[in-house]
Amino acid sequence: MGVGFGQVLAVSNLYLIFFLRDVSAELRCCKSTQHLLQNAYECVWVSVRPRLQTAKKIDDQGESDLSTVSKEDGFVVFDHVQKSYDGEQLVVKDLNLYIAKGEFLTMLGPSGSGKTTCLMMLAGFETATHGDILLGGKPINNIPPHKRGIGMVFQNYALFPHMTVGENLSFPLEVRKQGKSEREENVKRALDMVQMGDFINRRPAQLSGGQQQRIALARSLVFEPDLVLMDEPLGALDKQLREHMQYEIKHLHERLGVTVVYVTHDQSEALTMSDRVAVFDDGIIQQLAPPDDLYERPENAFVAQFIGENNTLKATVTGIKDGIASVDYGRGTKGEALAVNCGDVGSTTTLSIRPERVEIGKKSGPNAVDANVLELIYLGDHIRCRMEVLGDDQFVVKVPNSHGHKHLVVGETTKVSWSSEDCRALDA
Amino acid sequence: MTDTTGPLVAADGTPLKRKLAQAMFRSRARAFGLVFPLVAFVIAAFIIPIVALLWQSVHDPRFANLMPLTTIELAKWDAVSPPTEAMAAAVVADMIVAKKNKTIGRVATRVNREVSGARSLFTKSGRSAATLEAPFMEALIAKDKKWENIKIWEGMKIASKVYNPGYLASALDMRYTADGSIVRQEEDRRIHIMLFARTMEISLIVTIACFVLGYPIAYLLSTLTTRTSNLLLILVLLPFWTSLLVRTTAWIAMLQAQGVMNDLFVVFGIATDTDRFSLIYNKTGTLIAMTHILLPFMILPLYSVMKTIPVSYVRAAKSMGATNWTAFWRVYFPQSVPGIGAGALLVFILAIGYYITPALVGGQDGQMISNIIDFHMRKSLNWNLAAALGLVLLVFVMFLFWLYDRLVGIDNMKLG
């Protein structure tokens, strides 16, 4: 309120200027729209070019098993890190995370889960309330951001609007006091790396979103950091371009061997690019695993629900034998499930079944139950079928559109079944 | 298929352009109707009075209207040869009419501006004009020796020009002479250029002071949370809600010899009780008070620009290895330039026409050009000169504005 009134007063003194500015802004707006159209379709995948000179490629044979990265050989280590902004709530609760050199690790989670805070602590823009962050074995808690030597890509790209593309890339080299010829060489090489060599004299505002994204990528890599942080870098792009850039970033990572810590809330992005994904929720890493493990072997109900599509059923454990839990759905229906993270006999559990693992029509087996078809959605390669199963009317089954698949009708009652291994008994 | 060579037509065959104009007419008419009251008000209350007043700086028909015969005779005169009998006869004839219409005083005032002492001459001669007989030149000189002086006749010739560059020349410390040339004013009568220069100087210092004081405040405001920054903004805006006069008077209480500041200086031993600083009724007083009053005009545009600079720019610079200073100077500062431009231009243009504050706290050497304009408007009643001074000021501000547009670009400026 205070702002508005004061501004009105200030502005009223020169409303003529204001008018002139508006007119010229409108003119500029027309120009930039034109430009956008020109550049809309420039993103074409070009074959991979020679990599950066000093970059090291990961040796395929020598790639270590990432599930056993220990605190000692971690390149980036979060050691019992906690973070609170207000002294009342912990945004990050006792984080222990070891990232190997050359790894592509994604922090995935809903907003407010603490993933960006972790990234900002690593970059040095936030300080940890408790615990140590180590980079290459050395604690970096007290090192200011500009001495950490970490490359970073921001969500809005943060390309300096008053500098050309070349000046933007030259900036980190200038502050490192590189010579002019060396700088020019490095800038050119980094631009070629993202196929943007022809755009060196453009201003960021003259580039499309995808082009700006590449420049931001090149700028974070031009000073050859060992670690690059990316904070939802593809969030502002449209779907097609986003998928394209995912591959491009993945290929760059493979070629350069740089360690990447990537933050996103988009699970397909995480699954596409990462060596390992850390699923964050409520300030805690819920699961840290390679993408396939994450989808196929979720360890708790949150991960199962967050990654991919999932059917959940509530049940009570009645017995556990050889890793298989017998469960009671109530109303006299019984079944079997893989005992992953359920409690002892008598405790309730959440069962997770992927929609594509449900079979239709089979009447026998340990997990065969009645289902009532509620809705059918034709999606080309498969048909999405919403059913009522065991009192849950959000149970989804994907029926592949293969030759001779079963044709369902809304209102029809049928049998659905799944194998015990595909039904994971998780925490309640 | 439509004919690609001819103009496009709508479905009913009328040209598309006309159809579009018809379709747009209603909304255009409504838009015009909405802004019409403002346009009318601006024209009536702003543009017409300003143009009319500025017109006076070159247009002065008073003498020509009141002394028509003299004006004709003076136009024939070359301002070098001695005044003729015909001119004297015209003067006497015009004076008789002027005396009867009681307008002789206005004629006297007008000529007096060119030649001091002419007022009494005209009022005196006017009283006895009806009794004079030919030859009129001798008769006039017999009444008053001053009619012998060619300067009186030169002054009348200058005053008789309807389109008169004399006022503009005077505003620039020059003089329009009877033979039509423009020469520099005598050394001891040059005052306006000096006043313009002082006005520039004060405005410039105030602008720089506002920038130096305002930039950190605006930065602080832009980095705080909305709650806190709104609270602080109220403090910044508080002066806006207080009368300009009250604020200026408060500065008098603060800065005068027995005022708060000087008392504090004495307490802390910076000044002695007998030798206090003179902080007011001089240029220092004008500078302090104007800086304080104009500070919000610098802070607000700066703040509104800084608020739009995302924190990620500076972070990006730091992540690339820039120190705090480099990140600020190379990345943050250039992006705040539109705000600096807007704020500086706003403060400078407001300062250049400042009037009340210098009038109250300026003393002798803190007076600005607007104070002399006021003097001519209210005291000497030389509106023509006041208009000429205003015109010079306006042209100068326009020039600055143009210069700013060329150097920085108007579209680069953000006010809100």
Side-chain angles (χ1 to χ4, degrees):
Chain A
M1 160 220 91
V3 194
F5 184 56
Q7 277 173 345
V8 165
L9 266 172
V11 164
S12 64
N13 284 280
L14 271 181
Y15 87 101
L16 181 73
I17 298 172
F18 217 40
F19 169 73
L20 287 174
R21 191 201 66 168
D22 280 357
V23 170
S24 57
E26 226 162 274
L27 287 172
R28 267 186 313 149
C29 182
C30 295
K31 269 188 236 160
S32 65
T33 319
Q34 245 180 350
H35 215 93
L36 211 73
L37 282 169
Q38 269 175 20
N39 289 319
Y41 296 103
E42 51 56 59
C43 280
V44 182
W45 176 245
V46 186
S47 63
V48 169
R49 294 206 188 170
R51 60 196 172 99
L52 276 176
Q53 271 181 342
T54 53
K56 297 145 294 208
K57 193 169 178 163
I58 318 173
D59 197 3
D60 281 358
Q61 288 86 24
E63 199 169 344
S64 56
D65 183 4
L66 291 168
S67 58
T68 60
V69 178
S70 71
K71 189 171 161 182
E72 282 68 37
D73 53 36
F75 178 57
V76 177
V77 171
F78 286 88
D79 186 19
H80 295 287
V81 171
Q82 290 183 317
K83 172 71 186 176
S84 173
Y85 285 108
D86 53 4
E88 285 168 18
Q89 263 187 321
L90 282 175
V91 183
V92 176
K93 300 169 185 166
D94 196 33
L95 178 77
N96 291 290
L97 177 61
Y98 317 126
I99 303 168
K101 203 170 173 70
E103 186 178 2
F104 195 122
L105 183 122
T106 297
M107 295 176 171
L108 174 69
S111 50
S113 59
K115 55 191 195 307
T116 301
T117 305
C118 288
L119 199 76
M120 288 303 161
M121 285 195 286
L122 187 51
F125 299 127
E126 301 286 356
T127 46
T129 313
H130 173 81
D132 284 326
I133 301 170
L134 287 83
L135 179 64
K138 276 175 241 136
I140 54 170
N141 290 34
N142 294 319
I143 297 177
H146 67 270
K147 288 186 181 157
R148 296 194 182 190
I150 299 174
M152 190 149 183
V153 183
F154 290 84
Q155 190 168 10
N156 59 2
Y157 319 130
L159 295 176
F160 306 144
H162 57 292
M163 297 185 190
T164 64
V165 165
E167 286 164 348
N168 261 288
L169 265 74
S170 178
F171 184 81
L173 307 177
E174 264 171 61
V175 299
R176 284 182 168 70
K177 310 231 174 351
Q178 273 192 10
K180 193 163 185 281
S181 57
E182 197 185 350
R183 278 205 316 256
E184 280 168 7
E185 201 177 304
N186 282 329
V187 168
K188 196 177 172 324
R189 197 166 48 226
L191 280 177
D192 284 341
M193 185 176 72
V194 291
Q195 295 107 41
M196 293 289 291
D198 298 337
F199 294 83
I200 188 160
N201 289 320
R202 295 274 189 93
R203 299 241 168 202
Q206 297 172 309
L207 302 177
S208 68
Q211 290 172 328
Q212 290 188 28
Q213 175 58 60
R214 285 153 186 243
I215 300 301
L217 210 56
R219 192 178 66 173
S220 72
L221 293 166
V222 68
F223 59 100
E224 295 171 13
D226 293 324
L227 175 63
V228 176
L229 311 181
M230 302 192 188
D231 184 14
E232 310 210 16
L234 306 180
L237 302 181
D238 61 54
K239 189 167 176 288
Q240 216 171 350
L241 200 52
R242 192 160 63 218
E243 281 168 11
H244 173 77
M245 287 303 296
Q246 286 172 17
Y247 296 118
E248 207 156 318
I249 292 174
K250 189 177 158 78
H251 288 264
L252 265 178
H253 168 251
E254 282 165 6
R255 262 161 56 209
L256 303 176
V258 62
T259 310
V260 177
V261 179
Y262 191 101
V263 162
T264 184
H265 61 264
D266 183 318
Q267 47 155 310
S268 76
E269 221 165 276
L271 299 181
T272 307
M273 294 194 280
S274 322
D275 293 323
R276 284 194 301 168
V277 179
V279 181
F280 274 72
D281 186 45
D282 198 22
I284 292 170
I285 295 185
Q286 301 287 341
Q287 189 170 357
L288 174 64
D292 51 344
D293 267 11
L294 217 52
Y295 185 79
E296 286 167 30
R297 287 179 283 282
E299 274 166 14
N300 56 43
F302 175 80
V303 176
Q305 195 64 37
F306 192 71
I307 308 285
E309 209 172 355
N310 185 50
N311 291 310
T312 52
L313 295 169
K314 292 278 179 197
T316 315
V317 181
T318 54
I320 300 177
K321 192 184 167 197
D322 299 335
I324 299 288
S326 309
V327 293
D328 183 356
Y329 296 110
R331 291 190 251 170
T333 319
K334 289 186 169 32
E336 282 180 1
L338 195 65
V340 180
N341 193 13
C342 59
D344 292 331
V345 174
S347 59
T348 53
T349 177
T350 304
L351 302 174
S352 150
I353 311 138
R354 296 291 181 196
E356 66 273 15
R357 296 292 169 101
V358 179
E359 268 189 278
I360 291 181
K362 218 164 105 185
K363 291 191 169 56
S364 62
N367 298 304
V369 292
D370 287 335
N372 186 18
V373 180
L374 297 174
E375 189 180 11
L376 291 167
I377 297 168
Y378 181 79
L379 286 167
D381 61 336
H382 71 269
I383 294 142
R384 209 180 124 91
C385 175
R386 187 163 68 84
M387 310 174 134
E388 198 215 318
V389 172
L390 297 167
D392 173 20
D393 61 357
Q394 298 296 326
F395 197 94
V396 172
V397 178
K398 284 180 181 170
V399 186
N401 193 359
S402 56
H403 181 70
H405 72 89
K406 186 168 169 55
H407 287 278
L408 294 167
V409 183
V410 175
E412 173 187 8
T413 302
T414 180
K415 280 272 182 193
V416 290
S417 64
W418 52 85
S419 79
S420 303
E421 286 74 33
D422 288 336
C423 178
R424 296 171 70 81
L426 305 171
D427 54 328
Chain B
M1 280 301 290
T2 50
D3 189 356
T4 48
T5 53
L8 279 172
V9 291
D12 60 356
T14 52
L16 198 57
K17 278 214 165 111
R18 199 196 307 161
K19 202 78 181 161
L20 183 68
Q22 282 168 4
M24 300 291 283
F25 177 77
R26 273 181 70 92
S27 64
R28 275 197 199 154
R30 190 171 47 189
F32 182 76
L34 283 171
V35 292
F36 179 75
L38 178 66
V39 173
F41 178 77
V42 167
I43 290 173
F46 195 68
I47 295 179
I48 292 175
I50 284 182
V51 170
L53 195 64
L54 290 180
W55 180 236
Q56 290 201 17
S57 63
V58 291
H59 183 246
D60 182 11
R62 185 164 25 170
F63 187 90
N65 285 347
L66 299 177
M67 307 277 279
L69 300 172
T70 315
T71 303
I72 294 166
E73 287 304 320
L74 283 169
K76 294 178 193 155
W77 183 48
D78 62 359
V80 181
S81 50
T84 60
E85 173 63 18
M87 286 157 65
V91 166
V92 171
D94 280 337
M95 277 203 291
I96 292 166
V97 177
K99 178 72 190 148
K100 206 163 73 193
N101 295 344
K102 296 200 168 71
T103 53
I104 189 80
R106 288 160 68 188
V107 177
T109 308
R110 176 64 191 91
V111 181
N112 197 56
R113 271 186 209 155
E114 307 300 333
V115 192
S116 48
R119 189 193 308 274
S120 59
L121 173 69
F122 269 82
T123 43
K124 210 172 93 187
S125 306
R127 252 178 265 133
S128 49
T131 62
L132 294 179
E133 281 169 30
F136 290 108
M137 189 55 87
E138 276 89 64
L140 279 171
I141 293 169
K143 274 282 163 207
D144 197 316
K145 274 276 182 205
K146 281 182 192 162
W147 285 110
E148 227 171 9
N149 191 349
I150 195 165
K151 281 211 158 33
I152 292 291
W153 296 93
E154 282 179 359
M156 282 200 291
K157 187 169 167 67
I158 295 169
S160 69
K161 287 263 165 51
V162 175
Y163 294 97
N164 198 323
Y167 297 109
L168 274 177
S170 166
L172 295 168
D173 282 350
M174 285 184 283
R175 204 156 47 84
Y176 177 62
T177 59
D179 57 8
S181 62
I182 289 173
V183 294
R184 284 201 71 183
Q185 192 73 268
E186 292 90 37
E187 190 93 30
D188 58 328
R189 301 193 62 179
R190 290 176 200 163
I191 173 172
H192 296 137
I193 297 277
M194 187 272 286
L195 266 176
F196 274 116
R198 186 198 286 161
T199 307
M200 293 302 124
E201 183 199 335
I202 289 177
S203 305
L204 207 65
I205 294 174
V206 167
T207 308
I208 291 168
C210 282
F211 168 69
V212 170
L213 295 173
Y215 198 90
I217 297 174
Y219 179 76
L220 180 74
L221 285 173
S222 72
T223 50
L224 291 172
T225 57
T226 321
R227 221 183 113 89
T228 332
S229 70
N230 273 347
L231 203 74
L232 285 178
L233 256 185
I234 289 175
L235 294 182
V236 171
L237 292 172
L238 212 57
F240 268 141
W241 302 332
T242 322
S243 149
L244 181 70
L245 244 109
V246 172
R247 275 180 284 161
T248 308
T249 321
W251 275 114
I252 296 177
M254 288 287 289
L255 297 176
Q256 63 189 350
Q258 300 301 320
V260 179
M261 290 310 288
N262 263 319
D263 284 351
L264 284 176
F265 287 147
V266 171
V267 169
F268 289 107
I270 302 166
T272 59
D273 200 18
T274 49
D275 187 22
R276 289 169 175 241
F277 293 113
S278 46
L279 298 170
I280 203 153
Y281 305 125
N282 55 21
K283 203 165 25 178
T284 319
T286 307
L287 285 175
I288 293 174
M290 279 179 66
T291 303
H292 167 246
I293 288 161
L294 292 173
L295 196 55
F297 291 99
M298 179 64 90
I299 293 176
L300 286 174
L302 272 176
Y303 168 67
S304 72
V305 168
M306 286 175 171
K307 220 171 39 172
T308 62
I309 304 175
V311 66
S312 61
Y313 286 121
V314 169
R315 285 188 167 179
K318 284 186 191 168
S319 81
M320 287 184 273
T323 58
N324 286 340
W325 170 250
T326 316
F328 168 76
W329 183 243
R330 295 278 315 274
V331 176
Y332 191 87
F333 185 78
Q335 295 190 64
S336 66
V337 163
I340 299 173
L345 201 65
L346 203 56
V347 169
F348 189 81
I349 289 178
L350 284 174
I352 225 168
Y354 237 62
Y355 160 65
I356 295 181
T357 305
L360 286 178
V361 303
Q364 268 303 312
D365 65 345
Q367 296 297 308
M368 293 168 72
I369 196 71
S370 49
N371 301 105
I372 206 83
I373 293 177
D374 168 63
F375 170 77
H376 286 304
M377 290 289 287
R378 294 193 304 139
K379 300 267 170 58
S380 81
L381 297 179
N382 190 349
W383 283 29
N384 306 87
L385 183 56
L389 287 167
L391 186 65
V392 171
L393 192 62
L394 184 68
V395 168
F396 187 77
V397 170
M398 290 296 195
F399 168 74
L400 283 180
F401 199 71
W402 173 83
L403 200 69
Y404 178 87
D405 188 32
R406 289 296 298 265
L407 295 179
V408 188
I410 290 300
D411 52 334
N412 232 338
M413 182 159 82
K414 282 184 187 165
L415 283 175

